Amino acid sequence: MSLAFDAETAAACEILNSFPTTPAGVLALLSYAVAADTDGQGWPSDLCGGDDDNRGSWQQFLLASLSEILPAMMTVRA
């Protein structure tokens, strides 16, 4: 069980480190985030963002990441 949990957490972090480069990629990532959160608890729910004070769900880190990359993506498309 512990190995499965660790693998799930590692996969979640890898997805967060893969930044979409197109609007279609953003939509695909958001669709996956909705599908992965089957119980509404945030998958995984206790990730660490570099220091112990920066903890949250996978979705929280995803939203923070997208809020950083979307403005540049929108500027290029405008």
Side-chain angles (χ1 to χ4, degrees):
M1 183 84 137
S2 179
L3 290 175
F5 179 78
D6 292 344
E8 177 186 54
T9 300
C13 292
E14 284 300 315
I15 293 170
L16 289 174
N17 290 325
S18 301
F19 301 106
T21 58
T22 66
V26 170
L27 289 173
L29 187 54
L30 289 172
S31 294
Y32 179 77
V34 169
D37 188 19
T38 58
D39 61 3
Q41 298 299 310
W43 168 84
S45 60
D46 193 29
L47 291 177
C48 183
D51 59 53
D52 286 336
D53 293 332
N54 188 17
R55 299 190 81 81
S57 73
W58 182 81
Q59 283 85 349
Q60 288 172 301
F61 286 108
L62 173 67
L63 291 173
S65 174
L66 291 177
S67 71
E68 290 180 22
I69 65 169
L70 279 173
M73 190 180 293
M74 293 172 72
T75 301
V76 170
R77 294 198 142 304

